[in-house]
Amino acid sequence: MSDAAEMARSPAPARSAASLLAARVLQYLPAALVFVAGIVLWEFAAAGTGRRVIPPPSAIAAAFVEEGQLLRRATTATFIEALGGLAIGTVLGVLVAFSTSRWATARGILVPVAIASSAVPLIAIAPILNNWFGILNPLSKMMMAALLVFFPIMINVTRGLVEVPPAALELMRSYATSEWEVLRKVRVPNMLPFFFTALKVGTTLTFIGAIVGEYFGGTSEVLGRVVITSMSSGSFDLAWAGILLGSAGAIVSYLVVALVERLVIPWYASLQREAG
Amino acid sequence: MTAVRLADVQKTFPIPSGGETVALEAIELEIGTREFVSLIGPSGCGKSTLLRVVGDLIQPTAGSVEVNGKPAHQARLDRDYGMVFQAPVLFDWRTVEGNVRLPLEVMGFAPSERDRRVREMLDLVELGGFRSHYPHQLSGGMQQRVAIARALAFQPPILLMDEPFGALDEMTRERLNTELLRIWAQTGTTIIFVTHSIPEAVFLSTRVVSMSPRPGRITSVIEIDLPQPRTDQTRESERYFELVTEVRESLRGRVSSSAARARAEGRIG
Ligand SMILES: Nc1ncnc2c1ncn2[C@@H]1O[C@H](COP(=O)(O)OP(=O)(O)OP(=O)(O)O)[C@@H](O)[C@H]1O
Ligand SMILES: [Mg+2]
């Protein structure tokens, strides 16, 4: 092949920041338009069906203002539970994955146990966790969230550590490297995309876990309790404000993880772009 | 001096449905230091298996493999081999530069020495301008050249190359052939080279070993007496065409005159 042909494959020279920004805006414009249209439609539809079923966005916005204090405290509390749960679930999932992928005995014991326990309807465990860790203790909600996060992390990280191309292992063998070097240079980098995929799933699951834990009782100034109590007292607009804040928390965490992923494994994004 | 000595090597693989494949049988081969030996033969005749046995990536079922006067296993621990596989086997998460640096990192070369060698090797395979690219941003041929640079980076005394140029176009292949010979002459490595191309085997080698399948055996060893250094003129010389014909006939199962000569001299068992 000629060098000219080779050059053609190299990425285009850095485009100007402005044109990159314009490209981004264009990329997300359709989604943004659908979103805005949805809000407008919702407003009119809600006006038609009566406020009890789905309050219109304007009423929810008003609830945000009126109950700003409460919502801020509740969001902070739930956020802490969700992030704590994400941290605990992730650390445990990664630890178990490393030991199962390293020691066959550990794999023999832990994997069947993990698969069996993932069949348990985890949400049914929430009251038990409230009982164990104290219904007023945020730790009981964190543990619920951690339980949901644990399995995808453990399974994906294990796969990433174990599913290494055999040829790569052969190459390392030809260098007469230690198992430790193989872990550091091959298995861990190979695992990172699997890990970030699971972590992104985890950001959603952890909010579900925390809020479900709250539904089964605990302190009142958390999103789950705000939703439950305002529903039963007929303040649907406040309930919906709580639900929206919960989803916003999950979305923000997802975006943060996606950003960190970009920074830690830039090669993966570039590979995906080229493949897609 | 002898670089590689294979004595009565046999390799069988069990077949899941029962029975076994005899991938290698009664292999006797001696390769001198600084030799360039090509293995050629139909698909499935055991070329890759032979290379992997020499590189201590798999154990032979019977027989002995000696490399630089020691067992193959010890030679691997001493990092006597550079391997180039049929596929490039590059790490997606490392840039071109990072991939070439890998063996230097795990073998504990000093950082300044690593940088120097990486630069030198990338220039050698003419990829100096692509050091910060990721493998998926390169063509297949460029990826294979990265793999070659990586194998050469730690200057192993023995290079084991499994169809390294199989995926390349004719022009690139010929250019890299000339490059490889230049590197071979410069570094003084011993090379065992698997190929499906008869002209390539003749052009590169000091000896061509042809094999036949089921069971995988050596059928003839042909001395390539073309003068060194080999150039584009070599490819047009009469002797070159004679040798190409000779190798072709040996692969068809006809024992040619020079193979008989080699046998008479005791080069094959
Ligand atoms: N790991 C393995 N398990 C079982 N059988 C194997 C294994 N590796 C090779 N074989 C068998 O050994 C024989 C020789 O295989 P080998 O890969 O050495 O052939 P080859 O000459 O390199 O072929 P090609 O030119 O297609 O690369 C084949 O019949 C193959 O099926
Ligand atoms: Mg092969």
Side-chain angles (χ1 to χ4, degrees):
Chain A
M1 82 223 79
S2 75
D3 281 355
E6 286 174 5
M7 290 311 296
R9 282 179 168 272
S10 69
R15 281 181 289 170
S16 73
S19 76
L20 262 176
L21 189 66
R24 270 295 151 81
V25 170
L26 271 181
Q27 185 190 347
Y28 293 114
L29 194 61
L33 285 179
V34 168
F35 183 74
V36 171
I39 297 273
V40 172
L41 228 79
W42 179 3
E43 182 76 36
F44 284 111
T49 57
R51 312 172 61 88
R52 291 189 51 86
V53 186
I54 323 169
S58 55
I60 297 172
F64 270 114
V65 178
E66 280 160 33
E67 299 290 348
Q69 285 290 341
L70 171 66
L71 285 173
R72 192 171 316 123
R73 280 197 300 273
T75 306
T76 311
T78 300
F79 218 93
I80 289 171
E81 290 166 3
L83 291 191
L86 186 64
I88 296 170
T90 303
V91 168
L92 287 181
V94 168
L95 285 181
V96 171
F98 267 88
S99 48
T100 54
S101 62
R102 181 67 186 80
W103 294 291
T105 334
R107 189 155 53 233
I109 298 167
L110 291 171
V111 169
V113 170
I115 290 170
S117 48
S118 70
V120 174
L122 293 175
I123 286 165
I125 289 182
I128 299 174
L129 292 176
N130 279 345
N131 190 327
W132 283 356
F133 295 97
I135 196 159
L136 295 177
N137 187 347
L139 189 63
S140 60
K141 279 67 185 172
M142 285 186 196
M143 292 317 281
M144 184 66 234
L147 208 54
L148 289 189
V149 171
F150 173 80
F151 291 104
I153 293 277
M154 190 210 76
I155 287 164
N156 274 279
V157 172
T158 304
R159 280 188 57 197
L161 290 172
V162 173
E163 287 175 19
V164 172
L169 297 179
E170 243 179 19
L171 181 74
M172 296 304 278
R173 186 175 152 82
S174 81
Y175 297 151
T177 55
S178 61
E179 201 36 54
W180 163 245
E181 287 281 275
V182 174
L183 183 71
R184 235 161 54 97
K185 306 273 185 196
V186 185
R187 294 188 189 277
V188 169
N190 186 68
M191 168 274 281
L192 287 176
F194 290 80
F195 169 72
F196 278 107
T197 303
L199 194 58
K200 284 191 275 190
V201 173
T203 56
T204 323
L205 290 177
T206 196
F207 275 88
I208 295 176
I211 290 173
V212 164
E214 293 165 359
Y215 278 178
F216 287 91
T219 47
S220 58
E221 294 195 333
V222 291
L223 288 178
R225 296 308 307 169
V226 168
V227 172
I228 294 256
T229 50
S230 51
M231 279 288 209
S232 52
S233 68
S235 343
F236 295 101
D237 34 13
L238 183 56
W240 276 93
I243 291 170
L244 288 183
L245 283 171
S247 0
I251 292 172
V252 168
S253 327
Y254 181 97
L255 291 177
V256 169
V257 172
L259 183 72
V260 174
E261 180 184 21
R262 278 287 171 105
L263 298 176
V264 176
I265 47 172
W267 60 270
Y268 189 65
S270 139
L271 186 77
Q272 297 299 84
R273 245 196 329 277
E274 235 113 315
Chain B
M1 227 188 93
T2 311
V4 177
R5 178 182 285 128
L6 294 149
D8 199 18
V9 168
Q10 182 177 344
K11 178 70 193 177
T12 56
F13 290 106
I15 301 171
S17 57
E20 51 186 23
T21 314
V22 182
L24 295 175
E25 193 176 75
I27 301 292
E28 298 275 346
L29 188 64
E30 209 168 286
I31 296 171
T33 312
R34 310 199 61 153
E35 255 203 281
F36 195 128
V37 171
S38 288
L39 306 179
I40 195 164
S43 181
C45 71
K47 304 180 296 293
S48 297
T49 304
L50 184 56
L51 215 59
R52 288 150 57 81
V53 164
V54 173
D56 188 45
L57 296 176
I58 51 173
Q59 312 305 304
T61 315
S64 75
V65 184
E66 239 177 57
V67 176
N68 289 338
K70 45 201 171 186
H73 180 69
Q74 188 56 44
R76 181 172 65 80
L77 295 185
D78 292 348
R79 289 155 173 169
D80 283 354
Y81 308 111
M83 302 262 334
V84 181
F85 298 95
Q86 253 171 297
V89 196
L90 301 176
F91 292 145
D92 288 336
W93 52 85
R94 285 176 169 253
T95 58
V96 164
E97 203 169 37
N99 271 287
V100 177
R101 203 189 304 113
L102 175 74
L104 303 173
E105 284 172 18
V106 301
M107 294 180 191
F109 283 75
S112 61
E113 178 68 7
R114 288 179 204 165
D115 292 346
R116 191 185 64 73
R117 289 196 182 202
V118 167
R119 220 175 311 118
E120 198 180 300
M121 290 305 135
L122 286 180
D123 287 343
L124 194 69
V125 296
E126 296 178 14
L127 286 175
F130 292 86
R131 59 183 78 245
S132 319
H133 283 57
Y134 285 105
H136 69 266
Q137 296 169 321
L138 305 180
S139 73
M142 292 159 84
Q143 293 179 3
Q144 199 56 297
R145 277 144 65 194
V146 177
I148 292 168
R150 179 181 60 192
L152 293 170
F154 60 101
Q155 294 183 344
I158 297 176
L159 264 183
L160 305 176
M161 308 179 85
D162 196 346
E163 289 183 54
F165 306 141
L168 301 185
D169 66 274
E170 200 60 24
M171 295 308 292
T172 312
R173 181 191 272 239
E174 287 189 0
R175 190 165 58 75
L176 286 182
N177 281 346
T178 312
E179 275 306 302
L180 183 61
L181 284 181
R182 193 171 59 72
I183 293 164
W184 173 63
Q186 264 177 19
T187 56
T189 47
T190 306
I191 299 183
I192 308 182
F193 188 94
V194 172
T195 177
H196 277 287
S197 159
I198 297 170
E200 182 175 63
V202 171
F203 179 73
L204 291 173
S205 314
T206 54
R207 276 191 297 159
V208 173
V209 174
S210 44
M211 297 176 66
S212 72
R214 278 168 294 274
R217 287 171 179 273
I218 294 179
T219 49
S220 69
V221 179
I222 296 169
E223 193 85 20
I224 306 297
D225 51 11
L226 294 167
Q228 302 278 2
R230 312 239 165 110
T231 60
D232 285 346
Q233 273 91 59
T234 310
R235 284 203 179 86
E236 281 148 28
S237 73
E238 201 168 319
R239 183 70 189 132
Y240 172 76
F241 287 111
E242 279 170 24
L243 286 163
V244 167
T245 308
E246 195 173 321
V247 172
R248 184 168 292 127
E249 285 178 353
S250 80
L251 282 171
R252 287 204 194 111
R254 261 182 271 164
V255 176
S256 60
S257 56
S258 105
R261 227 178 24 244
R263 183 162 294 148
E265 285 164 22
R267 282 206 198 83
I268 48 175

